[in-house]
Amino acid sequence: TQLDGRPGRRALTLALGFGATPPAAQRAAAASLRAGFAPTAAGYQAGWRRYLDGLSDRPAAAAPVARAYETSLLVLAAAEDKRNPGAHIASPSMPWAWGTGTIERDLPSGPYHLVWSRDLYQAATAQLAAGDRPAALRELDFILFRTQRADGSFPQNTTVTGRPRWRNTQLDEVAFPLVLAWQLGAADARRWAHLRRAADYVVARGPSTPQERWENQEGFSPATIAAEIAGLVCAADLARRNGDPAAAARYEATADAWAAAVQGWTATSTGPYAPKPYYLRLTKDRRPDAGTTYSIGDGGPERADQRAVVDPSFLELVRLGVKAADDPVIVNTVAVVDQQLRASTPQGPLWHRFSFDGYGERRDGGDWDLSEPDTGETLGRLWPIFAGERGEYELAAGRAPAAAALLRTIAGSANDGGMIAEQVWDGRLPTGAAAGGPLGSGTRSATPLSWSHAQLVRLVWSIEAGAPVEQPRIVACRYVRADC
């Protein structure tokens, strides 16, 4: 049909068909057209409704954000590859230079179409909380059986077929499957054979990591060390269930040593932000009081003092049960991070990733791309995931109303279609910049980001439970709880 504005030529129905071959896709589209839009749409909606009806009943805590909660569940389900069960991608979108292919021309979809063990863990724990245990098991099995290397580690990321793409190692991505397996009670011998190799790798290679959770730094990260400790404590329990008390003792001894040392390795008493100790993003040398410098990346300072780089990620220590919410260094770091990284938006407070972050749009609002050190050409914006992580901390600290307010903040970060971006605008744009957007609205970062939606779902269920549902009880009972 030719659309030219004349009567009868002002509208058309577009059918998109998918198939293994062009003829198969055409047949699918033709069948939908023959059935008509209304019946096709109704059938599509009914399929998704059946999925939602098979989950746990929507909890009372979700009532203030009901639409965002349901949408988030659908986003998480949609992000699992249907030909490769358990392959849960980071995002179906292609932001910035990753979409234009200026960095990886052979992978135009960019790294967001890949599977990351860490992002998969976030999705799986949210789905498990919401009642989709089969999805969480599929995701664990994909990591264990489709991606594990011979040495027991897992690649930085893989394609949906399990083929490694970026080949570095991030030790939180090796540890999180151990935590997920414990949460699922997946202690059978077949899985344990893979989990044991991962735990042995953490013991042999930790606590320093070749890359921490933000991909571009090696060193001693409190967030990564928290995951390592939690993973080893969980692995110890799985080892005993599989008749290996010697391995269990080795894992626990390592976890205990690292738990006792993590503050001394990563919390500074000589930093510029507070006279009392506070946790850093990471240290390069386990000497947090030393002015060791490193290059931030993404156009940031080439010689940033490690004592001047903070990150909300230290709260992994609380969420995973290694440190108490009222630990004095934790409390002091919360205040420092709020002072340095928090910003107000119309929907509530949000946080930047870390000091000097440059992973975001350019100063004029243009797309992110690689830039030289010390140029400050790009600026990392605010991340909705931190509202979820902070909400879980507030629950651990006994402040449920604060957690409920942060839940509304995440939901309020969604766009008109209900999608929550990786980042939202923080107001740092020239006045009237056409390429930008209103404060608190989504940038052109990955949208939707599975992790953002997982945080919303998990915070809902944490509020319902009155405590973070992600936290492994066995870890908290070892280090912070007296009521076990």
Side-chain angles (χ1 to χ4, degrees):
T1 299
Q2 181 179 359
L3 297 182
D4 58 14
R6 289 184 289 176
R9 295 185 177 183
R10 297 174 181 171
L12 60 76
T13 298
L14 174 65
L16 295 177
F18 298 91
T21 64
Q26 289 175 338
R27 289 193 296 272
S32 294
L33 286 169
R34 285 195 300 272
F37 177 79
T40 300
Y44 179 81
Q45 292 169 356
W48 281 110
R49 180 50 58 189
R50 284 193 297 274
Y51 170 72
L52 292 174
D53 289 344
L55 303 179
S56 300
D57 291 342
R58 190 177 72 196
V65 296
R67 179 174 179 269
Y69 175 74
E70 183 174 283
T71 299
S72 294
L73 292 172
L74 299 178
V75 168
L76 293 177
E80 181 183 357
D81 188 77
K82 305 309 179 285
R83 290 191 171 184
N84 297 279
H88 194 111
I89 64 170
S91 174
S93 62
M94 302 184 295
W96 305 323
W98 304 114
T100 58
T102 62
I103 297 178
E104 294 187 322
R105 294 190 180 278
D106 63 328
L107 187 69
S109 61
Y112 291 94
H113 286 197
L114 299 177
V115 180
W116 305 71
S117 166
R118 175 179 45 255
D119 293 57
L120 179 146
Y121 167 84
Q122 305 297 335
T125 52
Q127 291 173 305
L128 178 61
D132 195 349
R133 176 182 169 83
L137 273 171
R138 290 193 302 271
E139 287 151 0
L140 173 65
D141 287 348
F142 176 84
I143 291 295
L144 294 183
F145 302 129
R146 298 284 295 276
T147 75
Q148 191 172 38
R149 295 162 167 156
D151 63 4
S153 68
F154 305 105
Q156 182 178 357
N157 54 44
T158 73
T159 66
V160 294
T161 63
R163 178 173 57 85
R165 179 64 190 189
W166 295 358
R167 296 175 182 268
N168 215 314
T169 303
Q170 300 171 3
L171 277 165
D172 64 335
E173 291 198 305
V174 184
F176 277 135
L178 301 170
V179 179
L180 180 59
W182 186 87
Q183 291 165 328
L184 285 163
D188 58 278
R190 179 170 175 257
R191 291 188 177 98
W192 170 242
H194 290 263
L195 294 164
R196 177 183 53 78
R197 288 163 51 203
D200 288 345
Y201 185 92
V202 172
V203 170
R205 302 299 179 92
S208 178
T209 180
Q211 288 185 338
E212 39 75 89
R213 78 194 306 214
W214 305 130
E215 316 293 349
N216 62 358
Q217 295 296 333
E218 65 176 329
F220 298 84
S221 153
T224 297
I225 294 171
E228 293 170 334
I229 294 166
L232 290 177
V233 172
C234 289
D237 185 60
L238 298 173
R240 287 196 175 92
R241 297 189 211 182
N242 282 273
D244 195 346
R250 184 169 70 254
Y251 300 153
E252 288 173 340
T254 303
D256 291 349
W258 293 353
V262 64
Q263 178 180 320
W265 291 340
T266 63
T268 185
S269 299
T270 62
Y273 301 137
K276 297 179 180 179
Y278 60 88
Y279 284 100
L280 305 176
R281 176 191 179 188
L282 55 81
T283 62
K284 293 292 184 177
D285 47 14
R286 285 188 284 195
R287 298 171 59 218
D289 291 338
T292 307
T293 63
Y294 63 91
S295 179
I296 292 291
D298 291 317
E302 187 165 25
R303 296 181 61 82
D305 186 325
Q306 65 185 8
R307 298 171 298 176
V309 186
V310 292
D311 173 357
S313 302
F314 78 96
L315 286 177
E316 294 273 72
L317 289 164
V318 177
R319 285 193 306 278
L320 292 172
V322 179
K323 296 290 183 181
D326 60 356
D327 176 277
V329 181
I330 293 289
V331 173
N332 192 47
T333 312
V334 167
V336 168
V337 164
D338 283 355
Q339 178 191 49
Q340 296 298 316
L341 302 177
R342 184 173 64 180
S344 296
T345 71
Q347 62 266 36
L350 289 171
W351 287 261
H352 293 95
R353 272 198 315 179
F354 51 78
S355 311
F356 315 114
D357 183 19
Y359 188 60
E361 276 85 355
R362 295 180 177 275
R363 287 183 177 274
D364 63 0
D367 283 351
W368 172 87
D369 206 335
L370 296 176
S371 56
E372 294 298 318
D374 290 319
T375 61
E377 290 184 8
T378 57
L379 297 171
R381 313 294 170 162
L382 300 168
W383 289 60
I385 63 166
F386 291 124
E389 292 186 348
R390 180 61 171 268
E392 290 171 313
Y393 168 73
E394 295 296 336
L395 279 173
R399 296 186 288 266
L406 288 162
L407 175 62
R408 294 191 294 273
T409 297
I410 307 176
S413 299
N415 62 22
D416 290 346
M419 302 294 103
I420 306 176
E422 177 185 73
Q423 300 179 44
V424 302
W425 293 108
D426 58 4
R428 292 186 296 175
L429 275 176
T431 302
L439 175 66
S441 65
T443 69
R444 293 185 308 283
S445 57
T447 309
L449 185 71
S450 290
W451 191 346
S452 298
H453 288 276
Q455 277 294 162
L456 186 146
V457 170
R458 205 169 66 202
L459 184 54
V460 163
W461 284 97
S462 294
I463 292 171
E464 186 74 9
V469 295
E470 174 199 8
Q471 186 178 84
R473 178 181 173 85
I474 194 170
V475 180
C477 285
R478 190 171 188 86
Y479 298 116
V480 301
R481 292 182 60 168
D483 59 344
C484 299

